[in-house]
Amino acid sequence: MPKVIVDRDRCCGAGLCAQALPQVFDQGEDAVVVLLEENPPAELVAPLADVAFACPSGAIRVVEQ
Amino acid sequence: MALPSSLPELPRSRTHPFHPPPEYDQLRKESPISRFVWPNGVEGWLVTTYSEVRTLLADPRLSINRFNSPPPSLSAIKDRKPEVMLPRSLVAMDPPEHTPWRRAIVKEMTPRWARSMEPRIAEITREYLDRVREIGPGADLVENLALPVPSRVICEVLGVPQADQEFFQEQAEVRSQVGAPAEKINAATRALYEYLGQLVTDKRKSANTSDVLGRLVHARIAGEPAPHDIVVGQAMLLLIAGHETTANMIGLGVATLMDNRELIADLADTAKGTALVEEILRMHAIIQWGIVRRATDDIEINGIHIAKGEWVVCSLASANRDESRYGCPHAVDTGQAQSPHVTFGYGVHQCAGQSLARTEVRVVLRELFAAFPGLRTTVAPEELRYRYEMWVYGLYECPVVW
Ligand code: HEM
Ligand code: SF4
């Protein structure tokens, strides 16, 4: 199962993550990423990798566990 | 006097209006990070490949601060010192100063909010389409649609009275002319600055927080009240950054669709229309000469040594055509999932208005072709007048018939 790690200090609030995978990410009041699902289902591995790649501030990491 | 540079000059002649200068294809292959001299005599590194552009734009050792020296520029006037200091804004700040301001602004312009703006954008668009119909065949879409719609939208979002919009369009246009005399640019900057200063003062006195400027004025930034002149600077950035860019993208979108008419139908569907607009955005990185940074420390990348103090220019247009990323780099290709383009930049300064811009481009194109399904440009799209010498690329005019 993938594990998602977000770095809220690095996030620049572009919101690409919440747009692409609303079941995993949201944006808080201050636009900073909020992780809704730390352990998303395995079928999201590929889309998660895409989102981590698209994040303009390198604030998302996905690790396999 | 500095010695004349022995470096090659920046390639800047396009051979086709839809494509960056062909030299960039060769640079990506042979020398992705190489030194050039810009027309103002300033030397710097030009970065042309996707991966290197992204790596460098995410590197905290590259600063957006100009440190009061002239950056590589297309303007031929050497060492031109700006007489009017622009008030500081996001594009003059590095983290950590940048971070709280960035958050105060992007929280206003999330993808979700941009989606919620869709009906209003469509409404404004239809209003201008009625005018286009009144003007009749031959109407210019740049003047009558592409420029006024984003301007109306950003003015409404910020809370700028409608009566002042024409003034904004004129000043913003002057400020981005490469060949404009310095006095003219300074006068436009001053006029905008004064107007916005008054508006911000008015908003500070009022308790109305129903618009972005009203909220920004009353915001606390890193625990402190937001200083007046920086709020004015941010307001100015939002007005300028959100106006001409989106307008030019709409014009280029129309031109591109003339050559790809079978794709027009995709606009009616939100998902397909979104994918199509992403490809239009990728094809046209309208900040056509790239974005400029300065090294605050030595940087090693791919065996190249970028020394502290040197300028680095990241070519977004070239990165978007990188053969190692895109199977079909020089054509609109909606058939497959694509690597994210860098038309909005990358890193902490990536366009704060990107969600709004995406929605605006898609909705305006959709409404345009819904109103005029047979729309075509009066001349072949290649023969329209393009903004070859402008910092923001696009069309000067787009006369159409239907
Ligand atoms: C298709 C239209 C647009 C394009 C191609 C575009 C492109 C860009 C690019 C390349 C940057 C990065 C500059 C840099 O890193 O030096 C940027 C930044 C910015 N853009 Fe846009 N933009 C567009 C529309 C908009 C709109 C509609 C708005 C606002 C309503 C906007 C507001 C901003 C702001 C505030 C920044 C500075 C962000 C920061 O420094 O943190 N832009 N834009
Ligand atoms: S994509 Fe990255 S920068 Fe944007 S909101 Fe998500 S984590 Fe933050």
Side-chain angles (χ1 to χ4, degrees), chain A residues 6 10-18 27 31-33 51 54-60:
Chain A
V6 295
R10 287 182 77 148
C11 168
C12 66
L16 302 178
C17 53
Q27 283 183 283
V32 176
V33 58
V51 167
C55 168
S57 47
I60 300 173

Side-chain angles (χ1 to χ4, degrees), chain B residues 28-41:
Chain B
R28 281 194 302 278
K29 239 180 269 151
E30 292 166 6
S31 181
I33 305 179
S34 45
R35 280 183 75 76
F36 284 98
V37 59
W38 269 255
N40 66 337

Side-chain angles (χ1 to χ4, degrees), chain B residues 248-310:
Chain B
N248 281 302
M249 197 60 80
I250 292 167
L252 290 170
V254 173
T256 305
L257 288 172
M258 293 297 101
D259 280 352
N260 297 273
R261 290 203 84 91
E262 72 287 357
L263 295 175
I264 291 172
D266 286 3
L267 290 164
D269 175 90
T270 303
K272 284 186 187 166
T274 302
L276 173 59
V277 167
E278 280 317 288
E279 273 296 274
I280 291 172
L281 287 163
R282 183 182 67 79
M283 289 286 289
H284 305 289
I286 52 175
I287 310 296
Q288 63 168 333
W289 312 114
I291 53 186
V292 182
R293 296 289 190 267
R294 194 160 202 191
T296 56
D297 205 345
D298 291 354
I299 298 172
E300 298 291 334
I301 176 168
N302 297 3
I304 291 201
H305 179 81
I306 299 174
K308 179 176 175 175
E310 285 184 326

Side-chain angles (χ1 to χ4, degrees), chain B residues 147-226:
Chain B
L147 278 167
V149 172
S151 172
R152 268 287 279 288
V153 172
I154 193 66
C155 285
E156 285 188 13
V157 168
L158 286 180
V160 173
Q162 204 181 321
D164 301 323
Q165 285 181 21
E166 207 170 309
F167 165 81
F168 278 110
Q169 273 173 30
E170 283 165 18
Q171 309 304 321
E173 175 67 27
V174 169
R175 283 185 28 82
S176 68
Q177 282 168 7
V178 166
E183 317 86 74
K184 223 176 138 190
I185 294 177
N186 286 332
T189 306
R190 210 173 292 121
L192 271 178
Y193 184 48
E194 277 165 17
Y195 174 80
L196 283 172
Q198 190 53 49
L199 189 64
V200 169
T201 303
D202 294 348
K203 297 221 182 247
R204 195 176 291 283
K205 286 189 204 133
S206 132
N208 184 349
T209 52
S210 67
D211 52 58
V212 170
L213 219 45
R215 284 189 290 273
L216 207 54
V217 138
H218 295 290
R220 294 187 80 80
I221 304 294
E224 302 288 327

